[in-house]
Amino acid sequence: MTRPDDHVIVLFGATGDLARRKLIPGLFNLARAGLLPDGYRIVGSAPTRFALTDGAFREHARAAVSTFGPTVPAGPEWNAFEEALSFGAADPSQPGPLLDAVRGAERALGRGARRLFHLAVPPPAFPAVVALLGDSGLAQGSNVIIEKPFGVDLESARSLNETVHAVFDESRIFRIDHFLGKESVDNILALRLANSLFEPIWNRDHITHVQIDVPETIGLEGRAQFYEGTGAVRDMIVTHLIQVLGIVAMDPPGTLDAHRLRDEKVKVFEALRPIRPSHAIRGQYEGYRQEPGVAPDSQTETFAALRVEVDNWRWAGVPFYLRSGKRLAEHRETITLGLREPAMSMFGTGPGRPERSIANRIVIDFADPGWIGLEFLAKVPGPTMNVGRARMEFRYGDSFCRSHGLQGYERLILDAMSGDQSLFTRADGIEYIWAAGAPLLATPPPLLPYAPGTWGPQPAVDQLAAPHYWYLPERSDPSE
Ligand code: BG6
């Protein structure tokens, strides 16, 4: 692939959790893979009270890469990367150090370097940072990556869109959702559209229900301040899981250019039925209120399960079940499409075909490196005509050359540098999603407790999915 033009990347929130865990290690990984531009500089930024010297920022980056990066920060590759780092603090009334750092970086690269701003800051800080970029003139001709969640409801998303549009043209705005940069999520389009096997059955005539299931075993990981104001519905469902739903449910775009692709995705969001509170379960794990930084009477949900409907010809009557939560029994990132039963049942049930299990499923596991499985029934060897469960599987880990495999953030930062908006959310798309979520956010269902290490509040969660049930790839039937 062609490398992007020379760039100054400005990382707001450079001392924060996201930068430490994902962005700085990701940028170093891109540099190692030779995918960053020939000339690049990375300017870390944060409010003045968190200001660092260039040296301290380099130390911070080194620690981030050694803790969360794929390789140790050492050798010529690290030295070159470290050399490209500098720091410029900024407050709305005091942008001076940031301006100096950006100008210094641009001088080092020479004429023609582009600017990319990455706003890895808590959502309430977006408007102030955008205003700072506008007032200081830095925004001119630049691209901007804005983190999720984009707003907290329809009204705030609209107002944030207005704020950002006052400074940046939509063509320069990259609303990021790192799930869309995951290789296996991207592969859904290839699976559907590069094969004649799947697309003909990808609709209500053949599919009875879809699950998008992202349980996590981790808890707050020191992010109470962010999480308390966000919760599972906004942190995971209205953002990541509905974005994945957009890819699963969209109509084929004709071409893969950003315009057509995003048009089709936005049509799905527009077709989302308003999410009824009675179609949602909110849970909070026992012990959450004792976590440092959490209010003793916190009403923040750490678990959410939803039944969502896409009101169009392709998906009429097909429920999409979405589930995610913290401190659950397992970490999973799975999409399951359950297929209709054959018109007639002629075969006996052998071992491995429990009564409640359906015959065919397409399972897409998008936890890196990811796999795709097809479940079907096969004759059990022997004199009787019994069928048992069988599966075919494609595993990314065993296929292709993984040397160019990128993490979600890495792929998307690269796309933003190249100006490719295909995998980023458009203003209208995000507003349709919040509009669908409005009834749920206005009247949230009661918060139900659950024990850490379980599957969330029972039996409510299982009842939500009835007559279907939450599917785990190794356990095709809940009774197993
Ligand atoms: C983040 C959420 O966007 O995604 C976290 O804020 C969540 O709460 C994380 O844990 C999951 O992403 P990944 O890529 O680590 O599975």
Side-chain angles (χ1 to χ4, degrees):
M1 65 173 283
T2 42
R3 287 175 166 206
D5 295 338
D6 288 355
H7 259 84
V8 175
I9 302 163
V10 180
L11 190 51
F12 286 95
T15 54
D17 191 65
L18 179 62
R20 202 164 63 92
R21 282 174 196 275
K22 305 252 188 191
L23 305 181
I24 296 172
L27 285 164
F28 178 50
N29 208 26
L30 284 175
R32 276 181 55 239
L35 294 171
L36 282 187
D38 281 336
Y40 70 90
R41 288 285 183 279
I42 298 166
V43 177
S45 189
T48 311
R49 63 183 191 284
F50 300 121
L52 298 178
T53 60
D54 291 352
F57 181 48
R58 287 174 184 162
E59 268 316 304
H60 177 77
R62 180 195 292 270
V65 172
S66 39
T67 314
F68 299 106
T71 49
V72 285
E77 284 168 342
W78 172 255
N79 294 343
F81 182 78
E82 191 181 59
E83 182 64 23
L85 301 178
S86 61
F87 198 88
D91 285 331
S93 57
Q94 237 183 317
L98 174 64
L99 291 175
D100 291 346
V102 171
R103 286 190 196 117
E106 285 177 343
R107 265 197 309 278
L109 294 179
R111 286 169 68 87
R114 295 170 181 276
R115 282 182 217 133
L116 173 67
F117 299 104
H118 192 141
L119 273 52
V121 297
F126 292 151
V129 179
V130 169
L132 182 148
L133 294 174
D135 295 345
S136 62
L138 283 175
Q140 220 177 4
S142 311
N143 288 349
V144 62
I145 298 178
I146 302 183
E147 277 297 331
K148 43 115 318 215
F150 192 89
V152 292
D153 55 18
L154 178 58
E155 202 186 325
S156 57
R158 276 192 184 136
S159 138
L160 185 55
N161 271 330
E162 273 170 30
T163 307
V164 183
H165 285 149
V167 175
F168 291 94
D169 185 75
E170 180 66 24
S171 63
R172 302 218 168 256
I173 303 168
F174 294 77
R175 296 175 193 80
I176 197 166
D177 187 302
H178 75 279
F179 273 40
L180 297 188
K182 290 181 187 238
E183 203 67 70
S184 311
V185 173
D186 232 14
N187 189 35
I188 296 171
L189 279 185
L191 177 80
R192 288 181 53 188
L193 307 178
N195 302 293
S196 56
L197 196 55
F198 300 103
E199 193 50 32
I201 59 164
W202 211 266
N203 56 52
R204 70 188 151 94
D205 295 334
H206 300 275
I207 290 172
T208 55
H209 66 288
V210 179
Q211 280 178 14
I212 303 176
D213 197 11
V214 186
E216 297 185 289
T217 48
I218 56 168
L220 278 192
E221 311 263 289
R223 299 162 72 220
Q225 206 196 344
F226 164 80
Y227 201 82
E228 268 286 88
T230 310
V233 169
R234 293 181 171 92
D235 183 40
M236 295 295 287
I237 306 271
V238 171
T239 48
H240 300 317
L241 274 68
I242 292 203
Q243 288 297 331
V244 173
L245 182 153
I247 302 272
V248 173
M250 70 196 265
D251 274 352
T255 70
L256 288 179
D257 78 65
H259 183 68
R260 310 266 307 257
L261 200 70
R262 298 206 303 174
D263 272 354
E264 292 307 334
K265 216 151 54 91
V266 168
K267 284 186 206 161
V268 173
F269 301 146
E270 189 179 3
L272 288 174
R273 279 227 179 129
I275 302 169
R276 286 196 251 153
S278 60
H279 281 176
I281 307 294
R282 292 193 322 131
Q284 188 185 69
Y285 66 79
E286 288 157 7
Y288 174 75
R289 292 175 184 177
Q290 283 77 55
E291 300 267 14
V294 171
D297 56 352
S298 171
Q299 289 299 309
T300 301
E301 76 283 348
T302 60
F303 173 97
L306 264 63
R307 179 194 160 115
V308 174
E309 287 157 0
V310 181
D311 211 3
N312 63 17
W313 278 84
R314 183 183 283 263
W315 295 114
V318 179
F320 284 73
Y321 300 108
L322 314 183
R323 170 172 75 169
S324 185
K326 302 285 187 203
R327 303 286 310 269
L328 294 180
E330 285 176 42
H331 180 97
R332 280 296 159 98
E333 298 179 20
T334 311
I335 302 162
T336 306
L337 298 101
L339 274 77
R340 289 194 189 285
E341 293 292 296
M344 291 179 67
S345 169
M346 301 182 290
F347 301 98
T349 305
R353 171 86 215 266
E355 262 335 297
R356 285 186 63 195
S357 167
I358 59 172
N360 300 140
R361 288 192 187 91
I362 302 171
V363 184
I364 302 168
D365 179 293
F366 60 97
D368 255 348
W371 52 265
I372 295 173
L374 292 185
E375 292 187 2
F376 60 102
L377 296 177
K379 180 180 174 297
V380 179
T384 46
M385 208 45 186
N386 281 347
V387 288
R389 203 170 53 235
R391 67 190 288 151
M392 291 189 264
E393 223 166 69
F394 155 79
R395 288 191 172 264
Y396 257 108
D398 306 336
S399 315
F400 302 125
C401 163
R402 296 208 68 239
S403 61
H404 293 304
L406 295 177
Q407 300 279 313
Y409 267 111
E410 298 165 11
R411 160 75 195 275
L412 294 173
I413 291 171
L414 203 56
D415 283 356
M417 272 192 270
S418 310
D420 182 350
Q421 292 182 305
S422 309
L423 298 176
F424 296 85
T425 316
R426 219 166 60 188
D428 49 353
I430 210 102
E431 290 182 13
Y432 285 130
I433 295 173
W434 284 121
L440 170 65
L441 297 173
T443 324
L447 201 56
L448 306 173
Y450 63 95
T454 64
W455 288 101
Q458 294 297 1
V461 181
D462 284 353
Q463 283 163 356
L464 180 81
H468 311 291
Y469 53 87
W470 297 99
Y471 173 75
L472 294 166
E474 305 77 27
R475 295 186 287 282
S476 274
D477 190 281
S479 56
E480 278 175 66

